[in-house]
Amino acid sequence: MPEYTISTQSGADWPDIPAGKLSSYLAPKSQPCEIVEDGSVLVLRIGDATVHVSWELLGTWYVDIEGSASLEQADTIASEIARQLGDATAEQAVWYRVTD
């Protein structure tokens, strides 16, 4: 189950994104997805993958992807979420795969 963090390249905090509107900022637009929950946590289904996106630490979004077909697919999903977040907030986003 790949896990990711997304932060700003500058290290600055992210602007506020209102709960209940996360999907309009974070749901990948290049892939069909079903929005399961759009509150303080965004839960999406993309193919067989279930994606959870949440605000975890100051300046950091956390992405958890369960059931992705491959690590490459999971990386693509996380990368697109980061890009869209950066575009929506006028910040440069960087994402990292969390490893043990």
Side-chain angles (χ1 to χ4, degrees):
M1 159 174 52
E3 300 172 356
Y4 302 85
T5 61
I6 303 172
S7 55
T8 61
Q9 186 173 35
S10 68
D13 198 7
W14 289 104
D16 286 336
I17 296 177
K21 296 195 180 252
L22 297 179
S23 63
S24 62
Y25 293 91
L26 303 172
K29 292 178 178 35
S30 70
Q31 311 176 53
C33 63
E34 173 190 351
I35 298 167
V36 177
E37 182 180 334
D38 192 1
S40 59
V41 173
L42 177 62
V43 181
L44 308 166
R45 283 203 186 96
I46 301 172
D48 291 335
T50 301
V51 180
H52 295 82
V53 184
S54 59
W55 180 260
E56 292 296 317
L57 303 169
L58 184 62
T60 305
W61 286 89
Y62 179 78
V63 181
D64 173 45
I65 303 174
E66 298 176 29
S68 62
S70 66
L71 189 56
E72 291 77 23
Q73 180 198 28
D75 285 353
T76 299
I77 292 168
S79 174
E80 185 165 354
I81 290 171
R83 184 185 50 76
Q84 288 182 195
L85 180 59
D87 290 348
T89 60
E91 291 284 346
Q92 180 66 40
V94 291
W95 61 276
Y96 302 96
R97 187 180 323 124
V98 177
T99 58
D100 292 339

